Amino acid sequence: NIVFANNGNVILCYKGNLPEIYSLSEKDFEDMHGAWFQALKSLPVGTVVHKQDIYLKKSYTSEQLPNTTFLEKATHEHFKGRGHIEHSCYLFFILTKNKALNNPKYVNPFRKISKGIVQELDDNIKNFANSVSDSVSFINNSRKMDFVSLKAGDIQQMTNNYFNGFNEGYDTDILLDKKSVNIGENHFDALAINSELCFGESVQ
């Protein structure tokens, strides 16, 4: 679940299963907030945590519902084609400030690189991965959320879906207007919360 970005950043990728909507009490939210706070405060300095929630309008297929008895058929027909919003949650931990990789001597193909530097980079990534693993374990132990590592194929699929605007069956262009983003048949809006000051004083 590790991505090595072209700017030298190292990213660890997870997919989350969150509690069902309206299933939490006020205390549950407080506990969940506490779990996030404890889990993230032990990460190395300079780590960027990016939690991404994707909401897609979909039509319910009802294919997996039984369709034999009278009641089953009525239920099947009732939900067939109904609109709903599908929610996916992803969590990315980014190791930034990997300045060693932007060093001019790596850019020059004729300069030899000492093995010690490669070992140092490997050690940095191992330490970072261990810290992230501890944080994710702490979140999962709260029993309110569950985050699992994304496999390489899942990361590629998600990247492809993301830049293709979640259109299925074909690839398409991204049209950027001043007010909106249009990818194929889908229209997008993004809400970025980049500071905790956006929220109120308390979680309640």
Side-chain angles (χ1 to χ4, degrees):
N1 68 328
I2 300 178
V3 172
F4 183 53
N6 64 356
N7 61 358
N9 287 349
V10 175
I11 307 157
L12 274 73
C13 313
Y14 294 86
K15 182 168 186 179
N17 296 310
L18 302 183
E20 188 69 34
I21 189 169
Y22 307 127
S23 67
L24 298 180
S25 68
E26 193 175 295
K27 185 183 180 305
D28 290 331
F29 272 114
E30 292 285 352
D31 293 345
M32 212 156 100
H33 176 73
W36 278 110
F37 185 81
Q38 291 296 329
L40 300 183
K41 76 173 184 180
S42 60
L43 288 167
V45 174
T47 302
V48 174
V49 181
H50 178 62
K51 180 176 176 285
Q52 186 180 60
D53 294 274
I54 299 168
Y55 299 90
L56 299 171
K57 277 185 183 175
K58 292 275 182 93
S59 293
Y60 190 71
T61 60
S62 75
E63 283 171 6
Q64 65 270 44
L65 294 177
N67 191 18
T68 48
T69 67
F70 173 76
L71 270 179
E72 285 173 355
K73 282 179 180 173
T75 305
H76 186 278
E77 284 304 311
H78 178 75
F79 286 108
K80 188 175 180 181
R82 275 195 168 231
H84 71 286
I85 292 181
E86 185 181 275
H87 171 225
S88 305
C89 173
Y90 296 94
L91 193 58
F92 304 102
F93 296 89
I94 305 162
L95 173 60
T96 58
K97 299 183 179 173
N98 216 341
K99 287 178 184 161
L101 295 160
N102 295 330
N103 194 312
K105 70 178 169 188
Y106 297 149
V107 179
N108 184 342
F110 302 106
R111 288 282 299 267
K112 282 192 175 177
I113 301 165
S114 71
K115 289 181 181 175
I117 290 174
V118 177
Q119 185 63 48
E120 183 191 333
L121 292 175
D122 278 351
D123 290 344
N124 284 351
I125 291 168
K126 276 178 187 166
N127 292 338
F128 176 67
N130 288 339
S131 298
V132 169
S133 182
D134 289 345
S135 289
V136 171
S137 296
F138 192 91
I139 292 170
N140 288 346
N141 285 339
S142 72
R143 298 190 179 179
K144 296 208 167 32
M145 301 167 283
D146 179 39
F147 284 89
V148 294
S149 301
L150 280 176
K151 293 185 173 66
D154 296 333
I155 294 169
Q156 286 179 323
Q157 179 73 42
M158 190 221 165
T159 307
N160 191 48
N161 288 344
Y162 186 82
F163 288 108
N164 196 34
F166 300 93
N167 290 286
E168 295 176 0
Y170 58 90
D171 291 336
T172 183
D173 290 340
I174 299 176
L175 301 175
L176 297 172
D177 294 329
K178 284 183 180 176
K179 291 184 178 177
S180 64
V181 181
N182 190 8
I183 311 176
E185 296 176 347
N186 296 337
H187 299 271
F188 288 83
D189 233 332
L191 170 68
I193 299 163
N194 55 11
S195 169
E196 61 189 38
L197 300 175
C198 298
F199 300 107
E201 291 283 317
S202 62
V203 180
Q204 296 161 7

